[in-house]
């Protein structure tokens, strides 16, 4: 059970549950982006499905709770890379690996980067991203 | 009028139109993420509004057409950073600056990074991100 910065080790790995993406999901998400961007902006070549994948992958990462009760990201996200398209009825899951652990010199916490990779049902990597979290140190 | 890699210069700047975010937008987006993540996943502490901001900012960037007819991103996005919350009825716009121009040695194209910053109606920076685009070189 991971709860503190001190519970994490470099190379530690996580794995999420799976998420099936339906044709309806993809259409709804694209439609919503279209609406949110206001009436004067028809949907253009924006890779909406890329942001859809990003949102689903972040949700799967949050659900994996690699930091126990602490939030998964606090500073931002680095290196979003879309590697292959996500098609209707694909099912994705993500795996994460701790790639940076930097204890703060001044506060009882540390910075943690986990590189997550999303795979489809054929095991093909479709997307990666690296959120940057701040995790408290174990109280003395 | 920008059309080719060769039309871009380091430090070149762009500015988008504005986008007002309503309370309804924010609720709809959160709700949709909730649905898309399937029935077994109640909406937790995920910063859905952060991804909402990311989606709107990307749309505004796409509309700014810094590469003319060419797509804004092809390789990925770096350094997403949420700097301040976006509240209902905030209006945001984005400004972009070319921060990298790397011609390919083997293909008639180049890699371009634009760092975009989203501001609210008080001029406060709320979000930055840096998409990585591939832009063709001007034909000889």
């Amino acid at each position: 059970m991971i709860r503190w910065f001190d519970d994490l080790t470099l190379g530690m790995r996580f794995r999420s549950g799976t998420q099936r993406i339906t044709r309806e999901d993809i259409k709804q998400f694209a439609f919503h982006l279209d609406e949110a961007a206001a009436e004067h902006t028809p949907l253009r070549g924006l890779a909406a499905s890329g942001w859809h994948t990003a949102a689903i992958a972040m949700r799967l990462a949050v659900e994996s709770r690699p930091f126990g009760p602490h939030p998964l990201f606090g500073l931002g996200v680095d290196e979003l890379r879309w590697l292959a398209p996500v098609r209707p009825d694909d099912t994705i899951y993500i795996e994460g690996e701790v790639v940076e652990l930097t204890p703060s010199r001044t506060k009882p916490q540390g910075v943690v980067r986990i590189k997550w990779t999303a795979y489809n049902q054929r095991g093909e990597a479709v997307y990666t991203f690296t959120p940057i979290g701040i995790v408290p140190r174990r109280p003395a």
Side-chain angles (χ1 to χ4, degrees), chain A:
Chain A
M1 168 67 185
I2 290 160
R3 186 157 175 209
W4 308 107
F5 179 80
D6 313 80
D7 297 323
L8 297 156
T9 56
L10 269 183
M12 186 175 276
R13 298 179 75 87
F14 306 93
R15 172 154 176 171
S16 77
T18 62
Q19 167 72 50
R20 181 160 167 273
I21 294 95
T22 67
R23 185 174 298 272
E24 188 60 24
D25 285 336
I26 290 174
K27 282 161 63 183
Q28 275 200 333
F29 191 86
F31 176 71
H32 177 78
L33 281 186
D34 196 34
E35 282 217 318
E39 63 286 349
H40 63 90
T41 58
L43 189 69
R44 293 210 189 89
L46 171 60
S49 63
W51 289 107
H52 191 179
T53 302
I56 292 170
M58 178 56 91
R59 170 63 60 98
L60 290 170
V62 168
E63 289 168 2
S64 300
R65 295 201 168 281
F67 306 149
H70 307 293
L72 181 66
F73 71 129
L75 292 175
V77 185
D78 279 340
E79 290 184 65
L80 284 68
R81 297 290 184 276
W82 290 273
L83 309 172
V86 174
R87 307 292 190 193
D89 296 324
D90 278 0
T91 296
I92 65 173
Y93 66 92
I94 65 172
E95 291 184 348
E97 177 177 348
V98 176
V99 294
E100 183 193 324
L101 285 172
T102 307
S104 167
R105 293 181 187 178
T106 57
K107 296 178 186 172
Q109 64 190 30
V111 171
V112 184
R113 287 172 191 255
I114 299 184
K115 179 173 181 175
W116 297 94
T117 303
Y119 299 91
N120 63 21
Q121 67 278 11
R122 291 179 299 281
E124 297 161 346
V126 296
Y127 170 65
T128 69
F129 69 114
T130 305
I132 310 161
I134 296 178
V135 183
R137 302 214 58 164
R138 185 183 293 117

